[in-house]
Amino acid sequence: METKKNEKIEKVEHKCTLKDVLDIVGGKWSIPIIYTLSEGTMRFKELERAVHNINTRMLVKELKSLEANRIISRKAYATVPPTVEYTLTLKGEKLRPIIDDLHKWGEEYVDL
Amino acid sequence: METKKNEKIEKVEHKCTLKDVLDIVGGKWSIPIIYTLSEGTMRFKELERAVHNINTRMLVKELKSLEANRIISRKAYATVPPTVEYTLTLKGEKLRPIIDDLHKWGEEYVDL
């Protein structure tokens, strides 16, 4: 009985982690922003241009969430006007190979 | 000049595919449903119970989209009441390793 119980707990725990992950990177704009920043540090306006069809409000909201989850870091410079740069953290960079795999899946199977 | 131009086109094409992929699997419930079906064929009610917090309307909508994109296949049986089973297609199954990698990322980095 014991192993059956552990299996169930382990399974529930395993499932939760996927939900936690999707709460962090499952948003409509999360992966496009992470993918774009995996090419290098960017300022807000650069990001806004690079991520197709995102609007300012959505980008502000998504960047806040990604920063809170430590996927990106934010650096402000006291220039006039102030400049802010966004960079992937190590945690964020580790997502790039998974996004690349998603990409390869798309190139191979999207028309299947 | 020629390689530069190809590089640019290749890059744009590369980027589009990510967008196409996210249009297919980027929905809030897509990955949880694909992950759940990767454990085997399921009926609607089983799926509804297995995918935490999803409601009937969302499940109907998401299953229609996944079927239209040939990620899942749908089989109806003329029982009374009729029974419908959902199964991952080959295309859908190929997403499982990527979801597992997302899972591993979560287990390793979610608290970083």
Side-chain angles (χ1 to χ4, degrees):
Chain A
M1 234 326 260
E2 196 48 39
T3 37
K4 247 228 157 309
K5 221 179 92 200
N6 288 347
E7 222 178 80
K8 200 161 176 300
I9 295 167
E10 196 267 327
K11 207 157 181 241
V12 170
E13 249 161 55
H14 195 68
K15 266 209 161 116
C16 283
T17 321
L18 181 62
K19 187 178 172 314
D20 295 336
V21 172
L22 293 174
D23 287 346
I24 296 172
V25 300
K28 177 177 177 183
W29 298 103
S30 317
I31 290 184
I33 292 170
I34 293 166
Y35 178 78
T36 304
L37 282 175
S38 68
E39 315 231 344
T41 295
M42 282 197 184
R43 293 182 184 175
F44 187 90
K45 281 289 171 208
E46 288 174 301
L47 255 172
E48 199 172 21
R49 278 193 300 270
V51 179
H52 297 289
N53 300 332
I54 197 166
N55 63 42
T56 308
R57 194 180 55 79
M58 278 315 294
L59 184 54
V60 167
K61 187 173 164 251
E62 195 61 41
L63 288 173
K64 260 193 196 135
S65 158
L66 290 171
E67 190 186 355
N69 286 301
R70 296 181 302 283
I71 302 288
I72 63 173
S73 61
R74 178 182 182 279
K75 214 167 167 190
Y77 296 87
T79 49
V80 179
T83 16
V84 182
E85 283 183 347
Y86 297 92
T87 308
L88 279 190
T89 59
L90 169 70
K91 181 176 175 178
E93 278 165 16
K94 295 288 181 186
L95 284 164
R96 174 64 193 249
I98 299 170
I99 298 174
D100 285 341
D101 285 346
L102 209 50
H103 228 177
K104 271 181 226 133
W105 175 86
E107 286 171 349
E108 218 173 309
Y109 293 101
V110 80
D111 297 325
L112 206 65
Chain B
M1 228 337 253
E2 197 48 39
T3 36
K4 247 241 150 297
K5 220 177 94 200
N6 289 349
E7 220 179 82
K8 200 160 176 301
I9 295 166
E10 196 266 328
K11 207 155 183 247
V12 169
E13 252 162 53
H14 196 71
K15 264 208 162 115
C16 282
T17 320
L18 181 62
K19 190 185 171 306
D20 295 335
V21 172
L22 293 174
D23 287 346
I24 295 172
V25 299
K28 177 177 176 183
W29 298 104
S30 316
I31 289 183
I33 291 170
I34 294 166
Y35 178 76
T36 304
L37 282 176
S38 68
E39 316 233 342
T41 295
M42 280 197 186
R43 294 183 184 176
F44 188 90
K45 282 288 171 206
E46 288 174 303
L47 255 173
E48 198 172 18
R49 279 194 299 271
V51 179
H52 298 290
N53 299 333
I54 198 166
N55 63 43
T56 308
R57 194 181 57 79
M58 279 315 293
L59 183 54
V60 168
K61 186 174 166 248
E62 195 61 41
L63 287 173
K64 262 195 192 134
S65 158
L66 290 171
E67 190 186 356
N69 286 300
R70 296 181 302 283
I71 303 290
I72 63 172
S73 61
R74 177 182 184 280
K75 213 168 170 189
Y77 297 87
T79 49
V80 181
T83 13
V84 182
E85 283 184 346
Y86 298 92
T87 308
L88 279 190
T89 59
L90 168 72
K91 179 176 175 178
E93 278 166 15
K94 295 287 182 187
L95 285 164
R96 175 63 195 251
I98 299 170
I99 298 173
D100 286 340
D101 285 346
L102 210 49
H103 228 177
K104 271 181 228 132
W105 176 87
E107 285 170 349
E108 218 173 311
Y109 294 100
V110 81
D111 297 324
L112 206 65

